[in-house]
Amino acid sequence: CCSRGCSWSLVIGISILLIALFVGYLLLLTKIHTLPESVAVILLGIFVGLGIKLSGKPLQHLLRLDPKTFFLYFLPPLMFECGYSLQKSNFFSNIGSILLFAVAGTTISTVIVGYMVYIAGAIGLCYALPLIDSMSFGALISAVDPVATLAIFRALHVRPTLYMLVLGESALNDAVAIVLFRAIQSARDDPTTVMGATASFFAVSLGSVLIGIIVALL
């Protein structure tokens, strides 16, 4: 029964991906610029969610996606495509501004959103959360992914510098948000592990860069 449910989950997941690819290809073929590809895929997800809701069955019985599967099979192709199609000259010529937006901007946004949620809960405007949970929410919500914005930028042919600033920041802010989230969660039980999580982030980042340079030279 479990294997049958996993098989149906795999079939449904692959079918949704194929439909999304077909919708994107159809938009590119018809050259409809008023509806970005990302917006069309979001609408597709809304219709799929409504269908699952109307079916009366829990989501986990129809579609399963565990974090391990996502990080091993879905995320690497996305990052590879982003790195492969990246214009290296524009990226590295604006690396200072990109790092400022990605690191400082995401950190500032995390603190502001976290305290806003905490204060709003304390005065009764929303569900009250502890400060640690409020900061965790701030870290999660601060890593924006401007897919629709980049699609509109491509359609409008904006300046390459503006496009690269938004693209570069979106490519790096996910890593910043992950280390912030893990550091905040680590501080819940042991405040001394915050520096360890931060050091691990920089070690992984620098190690990845070194591995990339070695592979490129080979």
Side-chain angles (χ1 to χ4, degrees):
C1 184
C2 181
S3 61
R4 184 178 180 181
C6 294
S7 300
W8 273 110
S9 299
L10 183 62
V11 170
I12 294 174
I14 293 176
S15 300
I16 294 174
L17 290 176
L18 291 177
I19 294 173
L21 290 174
F22 177 75
V23 169
Y25 173 75
L26 192 62
L27 290 175
L28 292 176
L29 191 64
T30 55
K31 297 181 180 180
I32 302 177
H33 299 299
T34 56
L35 181 63
E37 179 183 352
S38 56
V39 176
V41 174
I42 291 174
L43 293 176
L44 174 63
I46 292 175
F47 286 122
V48 171
L50 287 175
I52 294 175
K53 182 71 175 179
L54 294 176
S55 67
K57 295 183 179 180
L59 178 62
Q60 60 268 23
H61 291 171
L62 297 176
L63 186 61
R64 298 177 183 177
L65 181 61
D66 58 279
K68 187 176 181 180
T69 302
F70 176 79
F71 282 108
L72 286 179
Y73 300 107
F74 287 93
L75 189 59
L78 293 176
M79 299 305 297
F80 177 79
E81 191 277 333
C82 179
Y84 183 79
S85 60
L86 189 69
Q87 296 181 1
K88 282 75 177 177
S89 58
N90 288 337
F91 179 82
F92 287 106
S93 62
N94 298 283
I95 188 64
S97 300
I98 291 173
L99 288 176
L100 180 64
F101 291 142
V103 179
T106 304
T107 304
I108 293 172
S109 176
T110 298
V111 174
I112 292 176
V113 173
Y115 273 109
M116 286 179 62
V117 172
Y118 178 73
I119 295 173
I123 62 179
L125 293 179
C126 65
Y127 185 80
L129 292 174
L131 183 59
I132 291 293
D133 294 337
S134 300
M135 289 296 175
S136 300
F137 175 79
L140 291 175
I141 208 68
S142 297
V144 295
D145 193 3
V147 178
T149 304
L150 293 174
I152 295 173
F153 279 2
R154 284 195 296 267
L156 297 177
H157 302 288
V158 299
R159 293 180 60 184
T161 302
L162 176 60
Y163 181 86
M164 187 52 60
L165 286 175
V166 177
L167 176 63
E169 192 274 339
S170 66
L172 299 180
N173 65 5
D174 291 334
V176 178
I178 289 173
V179 71
L180 285 174
F181 180 81
R182 289 183 175 178
I184 293 169
Q185 289 297 308
S186 299
R188 180 193 301 274
D189 301 323
D190 186 5
T192 60
T193 59
V194 176
M195 295 303 298
T198 306
S200 176
F201 165 72
F202 285 106
V204 172
S205 301
L206 295 177
S208 302
V209 172
L210 291 176
I211 292 174
I213 293 174
I214 293 173
V215 173
L217 292 176
L218 293 177

